[in-house]
Amino acid sequence: MSQTDNSTKAQERLMAIANSLKAVEAVSAATQAIENPRPPFPVPNPTIPFWRTELHEIDNRRSTAELPEQCDIVIIGSGFSGASIAHHILEGNSSPPSMVILEARSACSGATGRNGGHLKPSPYYTVEKYTRMFGRQGAIDIASFECKQLDAVKELVRKEKIDCDFILTRAYDVMMDEDEDFPTVRDVWYLPAAAAEVQSGVKGAKCAFSFPVASVWPYKLVTHLLSQAEKRGVNIQTHTPVTYVTEGADADGYWTVTTPRGQLRAKKVIFATNGYTAGILPSFQDKIIPVRGICSRIMTPKGALGPSLPSSYSVRHNAKGADYHISRTDGSFIIGGGRPRYLHRAEEWYGVFDDSKLIEPAVPHFDGLMQRTFRGFEDSNASVDRIWTGIMGYTSDLMPYVGAVPSRPGQFICAGFNGHGMPNIFLASKGLAKMVLQECTFEETELPKPFKPTEARLLSTKNAVLDLLK
């Protein structure tokens, strides 16, 4: 036998040993992840939001008794992002890839099922800030992208005949601290102090902006999309938390996804995990930060309706805190916010992923809120019917991550929407679905440039979320 043959066989043995060691390390890492999940992760027994008082039959669905061993695409997360991605991959596709959706808890039990029901773009408030960050055109692109969501979701609801209380209306953004005229885009009306209080009904308004928005029952929207996806062959597995994803694909190009119920191999992995992303994608530690928020449902006594409030609202107490509000057709109001009560206490919200507890300093804020805020509600006896918390995903640079995960070919992310996912996610997920299906670049989509995941973003040490504490 020649020296070359001996050398080749030695190299093959070394490769086999290295691969075996990698396999052992992967098994060890997966076992460790199951026994001691890396935070953040969804906790059991979360508070119950109003949106989850009428549950869909898919809420605790497992399409098959056992976890599939393999698929083309696995989507981690069953909120608006996960459901929308599956919808866009299936839409108009006569031969779709095999897909599995993994959800840690019940369907749509994360941020989407706990939000304020607002589909509210920001056509003016963030324009000035984004102009400083990304230039004039960059700011316009982001604002325009958000505004397009209204028509896109409206058309989705119409086409799919989704029963989700979708209402197209106008918002009043009411300023309580100063009279300031912001740069505006697309159909924004400015009301100075003299008109703002009368037109909006908000006591003490300094000025207001009005523009088109929508409200929706988010859980019903998402569970409809999930049920339709299942009818097209998507395998949905609730109560199946992902604890570990291999750091590299195997020789056949598959990523291994570990859960307490077993492992699944997938050619492509999509993280629709928002505030929980860093728990299974460590490179996003301190880049997508779990932030706890609080929301409520307020009602007047049965048969004692208050004045009509057909619009939706953001009552901005100052630059760091606003109460957001939608009026429902049953006469109740969904109101979230209360930040001035707890923002200075970072331990209540920053990096917090426990939605089984309330933000106690904020709870009193919702008592008497309608009476304090709106003209005509002084004698309404409006009171809190229900209050809950939810975990949002805030990013250190205030932009979502939508696209391919850097240095992990075959992995994608749609997360980190900074509490502003409803007016971004549907079309963001459409762009992501295009990248997944067509293997095109980010630049070949219509996504705003700042949404692109890059190594530079992951390496940056800046943290804009902490600026809220200053």
Side-chain angles (χ1 to χ4, degrees), residues 286-289 394-398 401 457 462-465:
D286 297 325
K287 304 307 168 191
I288 299 181
I289 301 145
Y394 272 59
T395 62
S396 57
D397 61 4
L398 305 180
Y401 285 88
R457 292 181 69 187
K462 294 180 180 178
N463 190 335
V465 184

Side-chain angles (χ1 to χ4, degrees), residues 338-359:
R339 275 190 172 176
R341 297 272 190 142
Y342 67 88
L343 193 63
H344 60 289
R345 297 176 59 171
E347 71 277 8
E348 292 285 353
W349 60 275
Y350 183 85
V352 178
F353 56 92
D354 186 353
D355 55 6
S356 70
K357 298 175 183 177
L358 298 178
I359 302 176

